[in-house]
Amino acid sequence: MKPWLILINDFSHDLFTGLWFGGFVTMFVLRQRAADPALDGGQLTLMTELVDLFFWVTLGSLGCIILTGVFRFFYYRSWDGSGMKHIKKRLLIIKHAVLGTSFLIGTGFVVAWGL
């Protein structure tokens, strides 16, 4: 891959990760506020529409994260020559295991809240 495509792909991967997390947190906050009995019908309708919007933003972001991650995995692997290759590889595996678990759990909540 050309360096500028790698840069755009990396930026997109990180951007969509942030959007996914922001959408998840927003849905959580909206659901907590929607449980307030003091809300009138219009406010509750607005919150329901916002949860629907963030449901699709979150799932769309997750799809983009996976797509850009696939490009990162298959099209380039650059490790520096400083002897840190094995440590970086192990940390990358741990990072993706932790984030992958949080994505599965978080997306499960998003799907449960959005449907």
Side-chain angles (χ1 to χ4, degrees), residues 5-17:
L5 286 174
I6 292 171
L7 183 66
I8 290 171
N9 187 70
D10 286 351
F11 174 78
S12 299
H13 188 75
D14 295 341
L15 172 70
F16 289 116
T17 300

Side-chain angles (χ1 to χ4, degrees), residues 6 10 27 32 34 38 43 49-50 54 57 67-68 71-72 77-78 80-84 93 97 104 107 109-110 115:
I6 292 171
D10 286 351
M27 287 182 74
Q32 296 300 316
Q43 292 170 326
E49 290 172 3
L50 286 172
F54 280 100
V57 166
L67 180 65
T68 55
F71 281 114
R72 289 172 89 166
R77 295 196 181 213
S78 58
D80 64 16
S82 65
M84 300 291 286
I93 290 169
L104 289 174
T107 301
F109 280 124
V110 166
L115 296 179

Side-chain angles (χ1 to χ4, degrees), residues 79-91:
W79 304 101
D80 64 16
S82 65
M84 300 291 286
K85 177 181 177 179
H86 298 296
I87 294 171
K88 284 185 178 182
K89 185 175 182 180
R90 186 177 318 139
L91 288 175

Side-chain angles (χ1 to χ4, degrees), residues 20-34 47-48 50-59 106-115:
W20 178 89
F21 188 75
F24 171 69
V25 170
T26 301
M27 287 182 74
F28 175 76
V29 170
L30 286 172
R31 287 186 51 82
Q32 296 300 316
R33 282 285 295 141
M47 286 195 184
T48 303
L50 286 172
V51 167
D52 289 343
L53 170 68
F54 280 100
F55 170 75
W56 291 109
V57 166
T58 302
L59 288 186
T107 301
F109 280 124
V110 166
V111 169
W113 293 339
L115 296 179

